[in-house]
Amino acid sequence: MKKRILSFILAFALLCAFAPLAYAANDEWLVETETYEDSYGSWRKYAYTYDSAGNMLTEYYEFSDGYWEKHTYTYDSTGNMLTYYYEISSGYWWQCTYTYDSGGNMLTFYYEISSDSWYQCTYTYDSDGN
């Protein structure tokens, strides 16, 4: 557990640091950061983290005008996406939650928006998986 916490701290520190182009890898995380600048003094910073299976865990974008957005993902042990969370600097967000059957078929998709709106889709399959 200590190793995972230390890995998270390392990943978070690199995510926030925004080195011009940096890669840090160990057995649990891969962190990539990029910074782009133009001749007018504007800049964009991008940071990504991945788990050891190569699944994207976070995407973070920041711009010189103060705007930012963050995408966060979680997965089950087979790589199916369980949650997707999106947030921007204005406070707007949405979250998607997914469930699957033992064969990896999606059963439910739940979508919630910061404005208190939501909807849910339920999927059923025949014996052939269609």
Side-chain angles (χ1 to χ4, degrees):
M1 183 66 174
K2 286 183 180 181
K3 185 177 182 182
R4 180 168 219 118
I5 291 171
L6 183 58
S7 296
F8 175 77
I9 292 168
L10 172 64
F12 185 76
L14 288 170
L15 180 68
C16 294
F18 293 112
L21 184 60
Y23 296 90
N26 60 32
D27 63 339
E28 304 208 10
W29 299 91
L30 173 63
V31 178
E32 176 184 353
T33 61
E34 304 169 0
T35 301
Y36 301 95
E37 295 184 44
D38 64 25
S39 60
Y40 302 105
S42 297
W43 51 264
R44 308 181 304 264
K45 297 176 183 178
Y46 304 102
Y48 311 92
T49 61
Y50 304 86
D51 65 15
S52 59
N55 296 311
M56 183 174 287
L57 299 173
T58 59
E59 297 175 82
Y60 183 80
Y61 309 115
E62 183 179 4
F63 299 87
S64 55
D65 64 1
Y67 174 83
W68 58 264
E69 59 185 64
K70 182 178 181 181
H71 308 257
T72 306
Y73 309 87
T74 63
Y75 305 88
D76 65 16
S77 60
T78 61
N80 292 317
M81 187 181 298
L82 296 175
T83 60
Y84 166 67
Y85 184 79
Y86 171 78
E87 179 182 14
I88 60 174
S89 51
S90 67
Y92 179 80
W93 59 267
W94 73 71
Q95 178 170 316
C96 302
T97 305
Y98 311 87
T99 62
Y100 304 88
D101 65 17
S102 60
N105 297 308
M106 186 182 298
L107 295 176
T108 60
F109 168 75
Y110 178 79
Y111 178 79
E112 183 178 4
I113 306 170
S114 57
S115 61
D116 295 328
S117 299
W118 64 272
Y119 70 88
Q120 179 171 324
C121 299
T122 302
Y123 303 91
T124 58
Y125 302 90
D126 63 20
S127 59
D128 295 325
N130 299 312

